Amino acid sequence: MNLKARLFLFCMIIFALIPSCTPANTTSNTPAAITQNTKTSISIDGAFALYPLMQRWSAEYTKLHPNTTFDISAGGAGKGMTDTLSGMVDIGMISREISSAEEAKGAFWIAVAKDAVFPVINSKNPVAADLLQKGVTRETLIGIYITGTIKTWGQVVGRPDITDQIHVYTRSDSCGAADTWSKYLGKTQENLLGIGVSGDPAMIDAVVKDPLGISYNNLAYAFDTTSGALIPGTIVLPIDVNENGKADPDEVYSTKSAALDAINTGKYPSPPARLLYLATKGKPSGSVKDFLQWILTDGQQFVAESGYIQLTPDILKTSQGKMN
């Protein structure tokens, strides 16, 4: 083989090697692109109180991150924490304070919004007009839900001629609403009297069907999500906070906006007003961390739109600081 032939053969070998090296270099230099195209699923379970807001957050986040999908269910704050600590879900929706025992098991949590629990009765209650005029005191609610000493609707409004029995409904599942309501009455969920019902939707439905019923419901279920009006067939029972013997205008909530204003200004007591939390097992990372950080920044714009109360700057700063 002469020199010219050898040079030609050498050049052909070099050109053949160049394409085989290029893909290897491209792959090693683009891990970010591969990560962006990776599909991620985030599982969430827990408090009914946070479920509507979480649906909105996930929908808005998916618009920005179409490769992220969500599996969201509601089964009560207790289930949400249990599933989180057991690793069954990525994020737990929690509508009560996280205990030191749960923290010891690795629970990491941040406050994300605020709402409240409200007493609800049927609009056909035999003393509905009296209740809207007078309201009920905390002591009366204790007599209904804790001691059982107040058994008729006539007793509630001081009319012995009304002997209709009060049908008391309470949550049978471990939940933030019951925890918050019982704290307002000075006890724990185990002390609440009543017919056990599982879940917020079932609680409001029980009162809609029962003219003598009383329940307590999270803000998102006490009012219509779309219109902000009362759920048809119900009344949010006014609490006579200042105990002046009448339901003042700022204690009567016929719309969600009126209730939100009372929570936001502190006119509605806390509890039953309370913070809402999201929890993970250990400090979050990856897509879960990114989602939670988005909730605490851009995602906050959807809190008020969804009928909840935004966090105060101090509480928001604390939650953001925990994520760093």
Side-chain angles (χ1 to χ4, degrees):
M1 183 181 292
N2 58 35
L3 179 60
K4 185 181 288 187
R6 290 178 180 177
L7 288 172
F8 177 78
L9 179 61
F10 178 78
C11 289
M12 291 297 291
I13 293 172
I14 293 298
F15 281 116
L17 290 173
I18 290 174
S20 67
C21 295
T22 302
N25 291 335
T26 301
T27 302
S28 62
N29 291 332
T30 57
I34 294 173
T35 301
Q36 290 173 357
N37 292 327
T38 301
K39 292 187 176 182
T40 303
S41 178
I42 298 176
S43 56
I44 304 171
D45 192 9
F48 283 93
L50 262 170
Y51 183 76
L53 180 54
M54 183 55 71
Q55 292 278 39
R56 179 67 184 277
W57 274 334
S58 63
E60 296 296 335
Y61 186 81
T62 302
K63 292 177 184 178
L64 304 173
H65 304 271
N67 287 318
T68 300
T69 59
F70 292 87
D71 180 11
I72 307 171
S73 59
K79 185 175 185 296
M81 181 58 79
T82 299
D83 286 355
T84 300
L85 292 177
S86 67
M88 293 179 66
V89 298
D90 298 308
I91 301 173
M93 299 180 290
I94 312 299
S95 53
R96 56 169 175 75
E97 294 181 1
I98 283 71
S99 69
S100 55
E102 289 163 339
E103 284 189 296
K105 293 179 181 178
F108 172 90
W109 52 272
I110 53 171
V112 293
K114 186 177 181 180
D115 82 336
V117 177
F118 294 90
V120 179
I121 61 171
N122 189 288
S123 59
K124 294 181 180 180
N125 184 289
V127 292
D130 300 82
L131 292 169
L132 286 173
Q133 182 182 5
K134 297 180 179 181
V136 293
T137 64
R138 177 175 174 271
E139 287 303 314
T140 297
L141 291 169
I142 290 173
I144 295 172
Y145 265 100
I146 302 299
T147 63
T149 54
I150 298 179
K151 300 182 181 298
T152 71
W153 285 110
Q155 284 180 278
V156 175
V157 296
R159 291 180 56 184
D161 56 305
I162 303 295
T163 58
D164 297 279
Q165 294 287 314
I166 302 172
H167 296 169
V168 183
Y169 294 97
T170 189
R171 289 281 290 274
S172 60
D173 52 318
S174 176
C175 65
D179 180 75
T180 300
W181 187 242
S182 62
K183 281 183 178 179
Y184 171 60
L185 302 180
K187 295 293 182 178
T188 64
Q189 180 174 353
E190 290 72 21
N191 300 118
L192 293 174
L193 302 175
I195 302 165
V197 179
S198 180
D200 245 305
M203 281 277 277
I204 198 75
D205 187 57
V207 168
V208 168
K209 295 177 179 177
D210 186 353
L212 302 180
I214 181 173
S215 69
Y216 50 86
N217 286 90
N218 289 305
L219 172 71
Y221 296 86
F223 298 90
D224 183 85
T225 304
T226 304
S227 67
L230 290 166
I231 299 297
T234 70
I235 295 172
V236 168
L237 182 60
I239 298 178
D240 181 12
V241 178
N242 57 14
E243 299 186 3
N244 64 352
K246 63 180 181 179
D248 297 320
D250 58 5
E251 295 171 339
V252 179
Y253 315 123
S254 57
T255 64
K256 181 183 283 188
S257 60
L260 287 170
D261 182 68
I263 300 167
N264 201 27
T265 58
K267 293 177 181 177
Y268 193 69
S270 180
R274 44 73 190 283
L275 290 171
L276 302 173
Y277 307 90
L278 294 178
T280 59
K281 185 177 182 181
K283 196 167 184 177
S285 60
S287 58
V288 172
K289 179 180 180 180
D290 186 77
F291 177 53
L292 294 181
Q293 287 179 321
W294 176 85
I295 284 174
L296 294 174
T297 51
D298 294 345
Q300 285 294 296
Q301 66 184 297
F302 305 110
V303 173
E305 289 182 17
S306 302
Y308 293 75
I309 299 292
Q310 286 184 269
L311 300 176
T312 63
D314 287 345
I315 296 175
L316 183 59
K317 185 177 180 180
T318 297
S319 290
Q320 291 171 336
K322 292 183 71 174
M323 292 298 299
N324 296 330

